[in-house]
Amino acid sequence: LMDVAGLVQGASEGKGLGNKFLDNLREADVFLQIVDISGTTDSEGKEGTGDPVEDVKMLETELSKWYRAIFEKVWEKMSRSLQTTKSDFAKAVATQFSGLKVKEDDVKRVLIQLKLDPEKPLGWSNEDLNNFTKTLRHATKPMIIAANKIDKPNAQENLERLKKEFPEIKIIPCSADAELSLRQAANAGIIEYTQGDKTFKINEDKVNDKQKTALESIQENVLDKFGGTGVQEVLDYAVFNLLKY
């Protein structure tokens, strides 16, 4: 599990940590993108006003440009060679981009899905290559969006907007703040809680009125509404559903 800095607009052109940062993503099997669903973080990651839909659009754009740029470095030479030698397209692409964890079956599925001719890659349009690299990225590095701060004002409305805009991406509502509070309370012996559970047991002899009120608020506004804090659900979905472990 790798924790990397937030992606900024223009990273694919070298802004911020740029391509050096993006190249660290080569080894990833799944992307867990954490988005402020309440819209209280601006485009530079600072407290302010933001739009989670625009945040995800930016992420998608930068990741697609990064993936496309990697292919562009060798695409013309490779496609000419493939068309001349009649080599196996899927095998050649998987070999060339094994560092991105691209497999032959991934390439074949994308070709079928987009109805692209692997025997005539030189005839592909710019849009064909765009679609191919974007679809292959999603196939080889599937994304989950952790819609964090779901218990804040405007969050649920933003969540519905985001789901409508990106129906193909798994989006899970989360409250990392609630999860942290519950774990800290459990470590202090105030409650009995297992990550991912929909409820917890308060140890009445160890809790004061203020703590009890805060815990009851988490139960009512997070666990009862969303079936958990979402943190464990994100990890479980990545491991069992996407990686199929």
Side-chain angles (χ1 to χ4, degrees):
L1 185 64
M2 299 185 296
D3 181 24
V4 296
L7 204 59
V8 298
Q9 189 166 357
S12 56
E13 283 89 39
K15 186 176 179 181
L17 298 176
N19 292 319
K20 181 180 182 298
F21 158 68
L22 285 166
D23 280 345
N24 290 335
L25 303 180
R26 287 174 180 260
E27 297 178 24
D29 297 302
V30 173
F31 290 153
L32 310 181
Q33 300 285 9
I34 303 172
V35 176
D36 181 352
I37 199 67
S38 70
T40 54
T41 305
D42 66 19
S43 60
E44 295 182 356
K46 300 173 183 176
E47 190 173 338
T49 302
D51 184 346
V53 172
E54 293 303 316
D55 290 342
V56 176
K57 283 182 180 178
M58 183 274 290
L59 288 168
E60 276 288 284
T61 299
E62 293 301 323
L63 290 171
S64 292
K65 285 182 178 179
W66 161 65
Y67 219 73
R68 165 74 187 258
I70 294 171
F71 272 71
E72 277 185 336
K73 289 178 182 177
V74 298
W75 178 254
E76 189 174 341
K77 182 179 178 181
M78 186 180 74
S79 57
R80 184 175 289 108
S81 173
L82 287 170
Q83 194 156 314
T84 303
T85 61
K86 304 296 182 183
S87 302
D88 186 315
F89 182 90
K91 184 176 182 179
V93 172
T95 300
Q96 180 70 47
F97 300 103
S98 59
L100 289 169
K101 301 197 174 184
V102 173
K103 297 181 175 62
E104 284 185 56
D105 286 344
D106 297 323
V107 180
K108 289 176 181 177
R109 280 197 298 271
V110 171
L111 290 171
I112 292 170
Q113 180 182 338
L114 299 178
K115 297 181 173 62
L116 292 172
D117 188 349
E119 294 184 3
K120 298 179 179 179
L122 286 175
W124 288 15
S125 67
N126 189 53
E127 185 180 0
D128 288 336
L129 186 55
N130 267 339
N131 290 335
F132 175 72
T133 54
K134 180 180 179 179
T135 308
L136 189 62
R137 172 175 66 80
H138 276 286
T140 56
K141 298 188 183 301
M143 184 192 294
I144 304 172
I145 296 174
N148 195 33
K149 302 185 184 179
I150 190 61
D151 50 331
K152 302 296 182 185
N154 303 317
Q156 292 185 57
E157 293 89 337
N158 287 334
L159 178 64
E160 294 310 311
R161 288 175 54 229
L162 194 62
K163 286 181 175 180
K164 187 176 180 180
E165 190 75 29
F166 297 96
E168 74 283 4
I169 301 177
K170 180 68 174 178
I171 302 170
I172 298 177
C174 296
S175 174
D177 189 48
E179 178 69 26
L180 178 61
S181 296
L182 292 176
R183 291 198 198 183
Q184 289 175 333
N187 289 338
I190 296 171
I191 63 171
E192 294 175 21
Y193 170 69
T194 302
Q195 336 172 178
D197 280 0
K198 298 177 181 179
T199 188
F200 53 86
K201 179 186 175 184
I202 296 177
N203 294 322
E204 299 287 348
D205 58 328
K206 295 183 179 180
V207 68
N208 61 41
D209 290 343
K210 185 177 180 180
Q211 291 170 329
K212 188 173 182 179
T213 299
L215 288 166
E216 288 173 345
S217 177
I218 291 175
Q219 180 68 60
E220 180 182 352
N221 296 312
V222 179
L223 304 188
D224 289 346
K225 282 186 178 179
F226 305 104
T229 66
V231 174
Q232 189 64 43
E233 187 182 350
V234 168
L235 298 173
D236 286 350
Y237 192 89
V239 171
F240 299 120
N241 295 68
L242 295 182
L243 297 180
K244 303 191 185 302
Y245 290 159

